[in-house]
Amino acid sequence: MNTAPARRTEAREAVPAKWRAFRRTFRKNWELYLLITPVVLYFFIFDYLPMYGIQIAFKNFVAAKGIWASEWIGFDHFERFFNSFYFDRLILNTLGISLYQLAIGFPIPLILALLLNEVGNRHFKRFVQTVTYAPHFLSTVVMVGLIIIFLSPQNGIINHLIAFFGGERISFMTEPEWFKSIYVFSGVWQGMGWSSIIYLAALAGIDPTLHEAAKVDGASRLQRIWKINLPGIMPTVVILLILNVGQIMGIGFEKIYLMQNDLNIESSEVISTYVYTQGILGAQYSFSAAVGLFNSLVNLVLLVLVNRIAKKVNETSLW
Amino acid sequence: MKESVQDRMTLIVIYILLSIILLLVLYPLIFVVSASISDPLTVSRGEMWLFPKDLSFIGYELVFANKEIWTGYANTLLYTLVGTAINLVMTIFAAYPLSRKDFAGRNVITAYIVFTMFFSGGLIPTYLLVKNLGMINTMWALIIPGAVSVWNIIIMRTFFQTSIPNEIQESASIDGCSNMQTLWRIVLPLSMPIIAVMILFYSVGHWNSYFNALIYLNDRDKYPLQLFLREILIKSQVDQMAGSMDLSVQKHLMEAEAIKYAIVIVANLPVLLLYPFLQKYFVKGMMIGALKG
């Protein structure tokens, strides 16, 4: 009990001292504060103000009244969303596509990097890298355009091939059961090279003496990949995995929206496209803000959770 | 040391796997290039597999004759130039102070910025904000929201911290350089590689983006290239899948077929041309990001 007032005076003295130190550095570095001001303002306006705007999810937003004056209605929009016919479908599609993508799209760049790392021929290695990085620079529109061109039932090369071997032509883009595979594998095609760069960088950081020692001990190449390279890049892998899992409900809008059509909608409608069609096109601002908020919260919780697990298991974490 | 037979075999399997991956990625790219200079009818019948067949430049002629494509091209060029310039300035403004150890408050500001990576207001509040700011249907809606990327700030800050010796900055300051002079005369000239990376990341991003234009722009004469591409490459195809076909429609479709490949090439030309020269920088940027990631 006695120590409490003592601590308080201590704090009172500490604050001005800190304040003075800050004033001193401010006088010396005022230009730096000037530089960063527009950036701080930018994040305030375009990231924190919209967070303030989230309240419309709990309101009946009327444009004429503005965000503040619209009336509160509590969780009505959330209830409507959870009870809606689309809820199960949206969650299943969003999760389904994400998990599918994680299962296929996450390991492939890792494997590609491990393979590339073994290549001794510089020219071959560089050529493979140049080619596999290139699709990363195609825009989403062009990428989806290419998917449609190659999978077209009448003119697409894939269907010509199927027909050539006597198969039945498949209308890939309009069959719901094909949607997720097309999405995931085209993503692998476009992104595997680029995503492998991080692993290659990590592999380059592995101490070569480990390999020398293992060779002397008679370890085979495969054993060295498995016992030296893979554990060596594990921290990088874990961090990327955390980031990916944190994004599980945040499946991107851009590509899915372009790949959607009326016939495949039952397996292609995800939360982000639903928010767009209901909110922007349908002008149901409050309702879709609620849907979006639900999505962001789930993402945040997942990220924190996975990060905590990773910290426990692997002692690698984001923060 | 001699390689064992097993290691030999492993290496051979690795080369085979990589060659398969190489072919899978390369084939569609070559196909598009070849198809763009082949007769559209031959291509759509599936008679062209790899090399151009029945040489024809009709696709390119149609692209060059299409006024909207050039409108889109000019708009995209404008948005990319202005947008990238703003991006670059903002990124430097953020990254330089945050890279300085004697910048009091850097941890608070870093947390303030990084938090936006993990939680955001979402599409609708952002849309309403842009609307309230009166930026709908102007180029600013495509440039100002997204004026700086958190990830790129971190990459650039890391570069400033690790690649520019602190002693140089300190001795400059002792010699009477102000902070601005240090940044302008010492730090930036030493940062050209990372500046190149930033210009590339941001400009490719602007060149390829369509989403902001889709939600914020109404006038066709303001559309960027990607929105016109969407109409030609995607919308027309969906109509084709849905609609029935008589002869006149088929002729029209042939034209759409012909233009598709050529426009993919034309749209990606700037990036495709620059890419081989700049690959080194892109990779470097990714690696600096990976250090911190």
Side-chain angles (χ1 to χ4, degrees), chain A residues 44-70:
Chain A
F44 179 75
I45 296 172
F46 289 96
D47 285 280
Y48 287 93
L49 273 188
M51 288 184 205
Y52 164 85
I54 287 178
Q55 56 176 286
I56 66 166
F58 305 96
K59 286 183 163 182
N60 191 10
F61 176 70
V62 180
K65 286 190 192 163
I67 292 174
W68 187 243
S70 296

PDB file of all heavy atoms in Angstrom, chain A residues 44-70:
ATOM      1  N   PHE A  44      -4.753   7.476 -41.997  1.00  0.00           N
ATOM      2  CA  PHE A  44      -5.908   7.865 -41.196  1.00  0.00           C
ATOM      3  C   PHE A  44      -7.157   7.942 -42.070  1.00  0.00           C
ATOM      4  O   PHE A  44      -8.182   7.352 -41.760  1.00  0.00           O
ATOM      5  CB  PHE A  44      -5.654   9.210 -40.506  1.00  0.00           C
ATOM      6  CG  PHE A  44      -6.828   9.665 -39.689  1.00  0.00           C
ATOM      7  CD1 PHE A  44      -7.086   9.066 -38.466  1.00  0.00           C
ATOM      8  CD2 PHE A  44      -7.694  10.632 -40.165  1.00  0.00           C
ATOM      9  CE1 PHE A  44      -8.201   9.453 -37.719  1.00  0.00           C
ATOM     10  CE2 PHE A  44      -8.808  11.017 -39.425  1.00  0.00           C
ATOM     11  CZ  PHE A  44      -9.060  10.428 -38.202  1.00  0.00           C
ATOM     12  N   ILE A  45      -7.028   8.637 -43.193  1.00  0.00           N
ATOM     13  CA  ILE A  45      -8.208   8.855 -44.035  1.00  0.00           C
ATOM     14  C   ILE A  45      -8.662   7.569 -44.730  1.00  0.00           C
ATOM     15  O   ILE A  45      -9.834   7.218 -44.697  1.00  0.00           O
ATOM     16  CB  ILE A  45      -7.930   9.947 -45.094  1.00  0.00           C
ATOM     17  CG1 ILE A  45      -7.684  11.281 -44.382  1.00  0.00           C
ATOM     18  CG2 ILE A  45      -9.095  10.078 -46.062  1.00  0.00           C
ATOM     19  CD1 ILE A  45      -7.221  12.381 -45.306  1.00  0.00           C
ATOM     20  N   PHE A  46      -7.718   6.842 -45.317  1.00  0.00           N
ATOM     21  CA  PHE A  46      -8.149   5.731 -46.169  1.00  0.00           C
ATOM     22  C   PHE A  46      -8.160   4.371 -45.475  1.00  0.00           C
ATOM     23  O   PHE A  46      -8.612   3.397 -46.065  1.00  0.00           O
ATOM     24  CB  PHE A  46      -7.320   5.695 -47.455  1.00  0.00           C
ATOM     25  CG  PHE A  46      -7.661   6.829 -48.367  1.00  0.00           C
ATOM     26  CD1 PHE A  46      -6.912   7.987 -48.360  1.00  0.00           C
ATOM     27  CD2 PHE A  46      -8.781   6.765 -49.179  1.00  0.00           C
ATOM     28  CE1 PHE A  46      -7.243   9.058 -49.171  1.00  0.00           C
ATOM     29  CE2 PHE A  46      -9.131   7.825 -49.990  1.00  0.00           C
ATOM     30  CZ  PHE A  46      -8.357   8.970 -49.987  1.00  0.00           C
ATOM     31  N   ASP A  47      -7.644   4.287 -44.268  1.00  0.00           N
ATOM     32  CA  ASP A  47      -7.742   3.012 -43.555  1.00  0.00           C
ATOM     33  C   ASP A  47      -8.502   3.131 -42.225  1.00  0.00           C
ATOM     34  O   ASP A  47      -9.298   2.266 -41.907  1.00  0.00           O
ATOM     35  CB  ASP A  47      -6.347   2.431 -43.310  1.00  0.00           C
ATOM     36  CG  ASP A  47      -5.772   1.856 -44.587  1.00  0.00           C
ATOM     37  OD1 ASP A  47      -6.149   0.741 -44.934  1.00  0.00           O
ATOM     38  OD2 ASP A  47      -4.985   2.548 -45.258  1.00  0.00           O
ATOM     39  N   TYR A  48      -8.236   4.213 -41.483  1.00  0.00           N
ATOM     40  CA  TYR A  48      -8.909   4.304 -40.189  1.00  0.00           C
ATOM     41  C   TYR A  48     -10.306   4.903 -40.307  1.00  0.00           C
ATOM     42  O   TYR A  48     -11.207   4.482 -39.591  1.00  0.00           O
ATOM     43  CB  TYR A  48      -8.030   5.047 -39.176  1.00  0.00           C
ATOM     44  CG  TYR A  48      -6.863   4.185 -38.742  1.00  0.00           C
ATOM     45  CD1 TYR A  48      -5.633   4.262 -39.388  1.00  0.00           C
ATOM     46  CD2 TYR A  48      -7.009   3.246 -37.729  1.00  0.00           C
ATOM     47  CE1 TYR A  48      -4.572   3.430 -39.030  1.00  0.00           C
ATOM     48  CE2 TYR A  48      -5.960   2.418 -37.356  1.00  0.00           C
ATOM     49  CZ  TYR A  48      -4.745   2.520 -38.002  1.00  0.00           C
ATOM     50  OH  TYR A  48      -3.714   1.689 -37.646  1.00  0.00           O
ATOM     51  N   LEU A  49     -10.510   5.853 -41.191  1.00  0.00           N
ATOM     52  CA  LEU A  49     -11.865   6.372 -41.383  1.00  0.00           C
ATOM     53  C   LEU A  49     -12.836   5.280 -41.836  1.00  0.00           C
ATOM     54  O   LEU A  49     -13.932   5.189 -41.300  1.00  0.00           O
ATOM     55  CB  LEU A  49     -11.882   7.546 -42.365  1.00  0.00           C
ATOM     56  CG  LEU A  49     -11.644   8.943 -41.798  1.00  0.00           C
ATOM     57  CD1 LEU A  49     -11.895  10.002 -42.866  1.00  0.00           C
ATOM     58  CD2 LEU A  49     -12.511   9.212 -40.575  1.00  0.00           C
ATOM     59  N   PRO A  50     -12.454   4.441 -42.801  1.00  0.00           N
ATOM     60  CA  PRO A  50     -13.380   3.350 -43.147  1.00  0.00           C
ATOM     61  C   PRO A  50     -13.661   2.431 -41.959  1.00  0.00           C
ATOM     62  O   PRO A  50     -14.743   1.871 -41.854  1.00  0.00           O
ATOM     63  CB  PRO A  50     -12.653   2.595 -44.262  1.00  0.00           C
ATOM     64  CG  PRO A  50     -11.786   3.617 -44.894  1.00  0.00           C
ATOM     65  CD  PRO A  50     -11.351   4.506 -43.768  1.00  0.00           C
ATOM     66  N   MET A  51     -12.690   2.286 -41.047  1.00  0.00           N
ATOM     67  CA  MET A  51     -12.967   1.470 -39.860  1.00  0.00           C
ATOM     68  C   MET A  51     -14.067   2.131 -39.033  1.00  0.00           C
ATOM     69  O   MET A  51     -14.928   1.457 -38.476  1.00  0.00           O
ATOM     70  CB  MET A  51     -11.700   1.306 -39.019  1.00  0.00           C
ATOM     71  CG  MET A  51     -10.682   0.374 -39.661  1.00  0.00           C
ATOM     72  SD  MET A  51      -9.277   0.138 -38.578  1.00  0.00           S
ATOM     73  CE  MET A  51      -8.012  -0.270 -39.771  1.00  0.00           C
ATOM     74  N   TYR A  52     -14.020   3.463 -38.985  1.00  0.00           N
ATOM     75  CA  TYR A  52     -15.091   4.199 -38.318  1.00  0.00           C
ATOM     76  C   TYR A  52     -16.409   3.965 -39.063  1.00  0.00           C
ATOM     77  O   TYR A  52     -17.473   3.801 -38.470  1.00  0.00           O
ATOM     78  CB  TYR A  52     -14.722   5.686 -38.291  1.00  0.00           C
ATOM     79  CG  TYR A  52     -15.835   6.641 -37.998  1.00  0.00           C
ATOM     80  CD1 TYR A  52     -16.189   6.933 -36.689  1.00  0.00           C
ATOM     81  CD2 TYR A  52     -16.531   7.266 -39.029  1.00  0.00           C
ATOM     82  CE1 TYR A  52     -17.212   7.829 -36.419  1.00  0.00           C
ATOM     83  CE2 TYR A  52     -17.555   8.162 -38.775  1.00  0.00           C
ATOM     84  CZ  TYR A  52     -17.893   8.436 -37.461  1.00  0.00           C
ATOM     85  OH  TYR A  52     -18.914   9.317 -37.198  1.00  0.00           O
ATOM     86  N   GLY A  53     -16.298   3.895 -40.373  1.00  0.00           N
ATOM     87  CA  GLY A  53     -17.487   3.683 -41.203  1.00  0.00           C
ATOM     88  C   GLY A  53     -18.111   2.310 -41.035  1.00  0.00           C
ATOM     89  O   GLY A  53     -19.247   2.088 -41.439  1.00  0.00           O
ATOM     90  N   ILE A  54     -17.377   1.391 -40.408  1.00  0.00           N
ATOM     91  CA  ILE A  54     -17.916   0.046 -40.209  1.00  0.00           C
ATOM     92  C   ILE A  54     -19.216   0.076 -39.425  1.00  0.00           C
ATOM     93  O   ILE A  54     -20.050  -0.798 -39.552  1.00  0.00           O
ATOM     94  CB  ILE A  54     -16.878  -0.847 -39.473  1.00  0.00           C
ATOM     95  CG1 ILE A  54     -15.751  -1.216 -40.429  1.00  0.00           C
ATOM     96  CG2 ILE A  54     -17.506  -2.115 -38.955  1.00  0.00           C
ATOM     97  CD1 ILE A  54     -14.685  -2.039 -39.765  1.00  0.00           C
ATOM     98  N   GLN A  55     -19.384   1.126 -38.609  1.00  0.00           N
ATOM     99  CA  GLN A  55     -20.605   1.184 -37.802  1.00  0.00           C
ATOM    100  C   GLN A  55     -21.883   1.073 -38.626  1.00  0.00           C
ATOM    101  O   GLN A  55     -22.919   0.670 -38.081  1.00  0.00           O
ATOM    102  CB  GLN A  55     -20.626   2.451 -36.965  1.00  0.00           C
ATOM    103  CG  GLN A  55     -20.477   3.719 -37.792  1.00  0.00           C
ATOM    104  CD  GLN A  55     -20.596   4.948 -36.937  1.00  0.00           C
ATOM    105  OE1 GLN A  55     -21.673   5.308 -36.505  1.00  0.00           O
ATOM    106  NE2 GLN A  55     -19.476   5.591 -36.654  1.00  0.00           N
ATOM    107  N   ILE A  56     -21.817   1.375 -39.908  1.00  0.00           N
ATOM    108  CA  ILE A  56     -23.048   1.242 -40.694  1.00  0.00           C
ATOM    109  C   ILE A  56     -23.529  -0.200 -40.735  1.00  0.00           C
ATOM    110  O   ILE A  56     -24.679  -0.462 -41.029  1.00  0.00           O
ATOM    111  CB  ILE A  56     -22.914   1.787 -42.140  1.00  0.00           C
ATOM    112  CG1 ILE A  56     -21.939   0.948 -42.958  1.00  0.00           C
ATOM    113  CG2 ILE A  56     -22.538   3.246 -42.160  1.00  0.00           C
ATOM    114  CD1 ILE A  56     -22.031   1.244 -44.443  1.00  0.00           C
ATOM    115  N   ALA A  57     -22.633  -1.142 -40.405  1.00  0.00           N
ATOM    116  CA  ALA A  57     -23.064  -2.535 -40.341  1.00  0.00           C
ATOM    117  C   ALA A  57     -24.107  -2.731 -39.245  1.00  0.00           C
ATOM    118  O   ALA A  57     -24.901  -3.667 -39.296  1.00  0.00           O
ATOM    119  CB  ALA A  57     -21.866  -3.445 -40.078  1.00  0.00           C
ATOM    120  N   PHE A  58     -24.104  -1.848 -38.248  1.00  0.00           N
ATOM    121  CA  PHE A  58     -25.062  -1.971 -37.145  1.00  0.00           C
ATOM    122  C   PHE A  58     -26.160  -0.922 -37.263  1.00  0.00           C
ATOM    123  O   PHE A  58     -26.904  -0.686 -36.337  1.00  0.00           O
ATOM    124  CB  PHE A  58     -24.341  -1.798 -35.804  1.00  0.00           C
ATOM    125  CG  PHE A  58     -23.195  -2.746 -35.626  1.00  0.00           C
ATOM    126  CD1 PHE A  58     -21.901  -2.348 -35.930  1.00  0.00           C
ATOM    127  CD2 PHE A  58     -23.418  -4.047 -35.195  1.00  0.00           C
ATOM    128  CE1 PHE A  58     -20.842  -3.224 -35.784  1.00  0.00           C
ATOM    129  CE2 PHE A  58     -22.364  -4.923 -35.043  1.00  0.00           C
ATOM    130  CZ  PHE A  58     -21.070  -4.518 -35.343  1.00  0.00           C
ATOM    131  N   LYS A  59     -26.187  -0.259 -38.407  1.00  0.00           N
ATOM    132  CA  LYS A  59     -27.159   0.818 -38.585  1.00  0.00           C
ATOM    133  C   LYS A  59     -27.976   0.572 -39.837  1.00  0.00           C
ATOM    134  O   LYS A  59     -27.655  -0.300 -40.638  1.00  0.00           O
ATOM    135  CB  LYS A  59     -26.427   2.164 -38.729  1.00  0.00           C
ATOM    136  CG  LYS A  59     -25.851   2.686 -37.442  1.00  0.00           C
ATOM    137  CD  LYS A  59     -25.215   4.044 -37.657  1.00  0.00           C
ATOM    138  CE  LYS A  59     -25.024   4.736 -36.316  1.00  0.00           C
ATOM    139  NZ  LYS A  59     -24.469   6.069 -36.456  1.00  0.00           N
ATOM    140  N   ASN A  60     -29.037   1.366 -39.942  1.00  0.00           N
ATOM    141  CA  ASN A  60     -29.776   1.343 -41.193  1.00  0.00           C
ATOM    142  C   ASN A  60     -29.311   2.554 -41.993  1.00  0.00           C
ATOM    143  O   ASN A  60     -29.871   3.641 -41.871  1.00  0.00           O
ATOM    144  CB  ASN A  60     -31.270   1.404 -40.886  1.00  0.00           C
ATOM    145  CG  ASN A  60     -32.079   1.111 -42.122  1.00  0.00           C
ATOM    146  OD1 ASN A  60     -31.525   0.695 -43.139  1.00  0.00           O
ATOM    147  ND2 ASN A  60     -33.360   1.340 -42.055  1.00  0.00           N
ATOM    148  N   PHE A  61     -28.275   2.340 -42.776  1.00  0.00           N
ATOM    149  CA  PHE A  61     -27.610   3.476 -43.424  1.00  0.00           C
ATOM    150  C   PHE A  61     -28.485   4.101 -44.504  1.00  0.00           C
ATOM    151  O   PHE A  61     -28.967   3.419 -45.408  1.00  0.00           O
ATOM    152  CB  PHE A  61     -26.288   3.025 -44.028  1.00  0.00           C
ATOM    153  CG  PHE A  61     -25.575   4.093 -44.797  1.00  0.00           C
ATOM    154  CD1 PHE A  61     -25.001   5.174 -44.148  1.00  0.00           C
ATOM    155  CD2 PHE A  61     -25.479   4.023 -46.180  1.00  0.00           C
ATOM    156  CE1 PHE A  61     -24.334   6.157 -44.856  1.00  0.00           C
ATOM    157  CE2 PHE A  61     -24.817   5.012 -46.887  1.00  0.00           C
ATOM    158  CZ  PHE A  61     -24.251   6.073 -46.224  1.00  0.00           C
ATOM    159  N   VAL A  62     -28.704   5.400 -44.362  1.00  0.00           N
ATOM    160  CA  VAL A  62     -29.420   6.146 -45.390  1.00  0.00           C
ATOM    161  C   VAL A  62     -28.468   7.238 -45.869  1.00  0.00           C
ATOM    162  O   VAL A  62     -27.993   8.032 -45.069  1.00  0.00           O
ATOM    163  CB  VAL A  62     -30.705   6.786 -44.823  1.00  0.00           C
ATOM    164  CG1 VAL A  62     -31.436   7.549 -45.913  1.00  0.00           C
ATOM    165  CG2 VAL A  62     -31.587   5.726 -44.211  1.00  0.00           C
ATOM    166  N   ALA A  63     -28.192   7.246 -47.162  1.00  0.00           N
ATOM    167  CA  ALA A  63     -27.159   8.136 -47.689  1.00  0.00           C
ATOM    168  C   ALA A  63     -27.428   9.589 -47.334  1.00  0.00           C
ATOM    169  O   ALA A  63     -26.526  10.336 -46.977  1.00  0.00           O
ATOM    170  CB  ALA A  63     -27.041   7.964 -49.197  1.00  0.00           C
ATOM    171  N   ALA A  64     -28.707   9.985 -47.372  1.00  0.00           N
ATOM    172  CA  ALA A  64     -29.042  11.390 -47.129  1.00  0.00           C
ATOM    173  C   ALA A  64     -28.696  11.811 -45.699  1.00  0.00           C
ATOM    174  O   ALA A  64     -28.327  12.947 -45.454  1.00  0.00           O
ATOM    175  CB  ALA A  64     -30.524  11.620 -47.400  1.00  0.00           C
ATOM    176  N   LYS A  65     -28.816  10.854 -44.756  1.00  0.00           N
ATOM    177  CA  LYS A  65     -28.541  11.192 -43.361  1.00  0.00           C
ATOM    178  C   LYS A  65     -27.052  11.113 -43.040  1.00  0.00           C
ATOM    179  O   LYS A  65     -26.593  11.706 -42.065  1.00  0.00           O
ATOM    180  CB  LYS A  65     -29.266  10.218 -42.434  1.00  0.00           C
ATOM    181  CG  LYS A  65     -30.764  10.439 -42.348  1.00  0.00           C
ATOM    182  CD  LYS A  65     -31.317   9.575 -41.217  1.00  0.00           C
ATOM    183  CE  LYS A  65     -32.824   9.502 -41.231  1.00  0.00           C
ATOM    184  NZ  LYS A  65     -33.282   8.366 -40.407  1.00  0.00           N
ATOM    185  N   GLY A  66     -26.322  10.324 -43.795  1.00  0.00           N
ATOM    186  CA  GLY A  66     -24.899  10.140 -43.506  1.00  0.00           C
ATOM    187  C   GLY A  66     -24.692   9.035 -42.483  1.00  0.00           C
ATOM    188  O   GLY A  66     -25.651   8.489 -41.922  1.00  0.00           O
ATOM    189  N   ILE A  67     -23.406   8.721 -42.259  1.00  0.00           N
ATOM    190  CA  ILE A  67     -23.072   7.583 -41.402  1.00  0.00           C
ATOM    191  C   ILE A  67     -23.511   7.824 -39.967  1.00  0.00           C
ATOM    192  O   ILE A  67     -24.099   6.974 -39.322  1.00  0.00           O
ATOM    193  CB  ILE A  67     -21.539   7.324 -41.446  1.00  0.00           C
ATOM    194  CG1 ILE A  67     -21.148   6.822 -42.824  1.00  0.00           C
ATOM    195  CG2 ILE A  67     -21.130   6.344 -40.366  1.00  0.00           C
ATOM    196  CD1 ILE A  67     -19.672   6.662 -43.031  1.00  0.00           C
ATOM    197  N   TRP A  68     -23.253   9.006 -39.469  1.00  0.00           N
ATOM    198  CA  TRP A  68     -23.455   9.284 -38.049  1.00  0.00           C
ATOM    199  C   TRP A  68     -24.940   9.322 -37.688  1.00  0.00           C
ATOM    200  O   TRP A  68     -25.353   8.765 -36.668  1.00  0.00           O
ATOM    201  CB  TRP A  68     -22.777  10.608 -37.690  1.00  0.00           C
ATOM    202  CG  TRP A  68     -22.792  10.886 -36.231  1.00  0.00           C
ATOM    203  CD1 TRP A  68     -23.407  11.926 -35.599  1.00  0.00           C
ATOM    204  CD2 TRP A  68     -22.189  10.101 -35.197  1.00  0.00           C
ATOM    205  NE1 TRP A  68     -23.216  11.834 -34.250  1.00  0.00           N
ATOM    206  CE2 TRP A  68     -22.473  10.729 -33.970  1.00  0.00           C
ATOM    207  CE3 TRP A  68     -21.433   8.916 -35.193  1.00  0.00           C
ATOM    208  CZ2 TRP A  68     -22.043  10.222 -32.753  1.00  0.00           C
ATOM    209  CZ3 TRP A  68     -20.991   8.420 -33.979  1.00  0.00           C
ATOM    210  CH2 TRP A  68     -21.299   9.059 -32.781  1.00  0.00           C
ATOM    211  N   ALA A  69     -25.758   9.955 -38.529  1.00  0.00           N
ATOM    212  CA  ALA A  69     -27.150  10.196 -38.166  1.00  0.00           C
ATOM    213  C   ALA A  69     -28.072   9.025 -38.487  1.00  0.00           C
ATOM    214  O   ALA A  69     -29.210   8.999 -38.026  1.00  0.00           O
ATOM    215  CB  ALA A  69     -27.656  11.461 -38.869  1.00  0.00           C
ATOM    216  N   SER A  70     -27.596   8.048 -39.229  1.00  0.00           N
ATOM    217  CA  SER A  70     -28.455   6.903 -39.519  1.00  0.00           C
ATOM    218  C   SER A  70     -28.760   6.156 -38.224  1.00  0.00           C
ATOM    219  O   SER A  70     -27.960   6.135 -37.303  1.00  0.00           O
ATOM    220  CB  SER A  70     -27.765   5.956 -40.501  1.00  0.00           C
ATOM    221  OG  SER A  70     -27.566   6.601 -41.734  1.00  0.00           O
TER     222      SER A  70
END
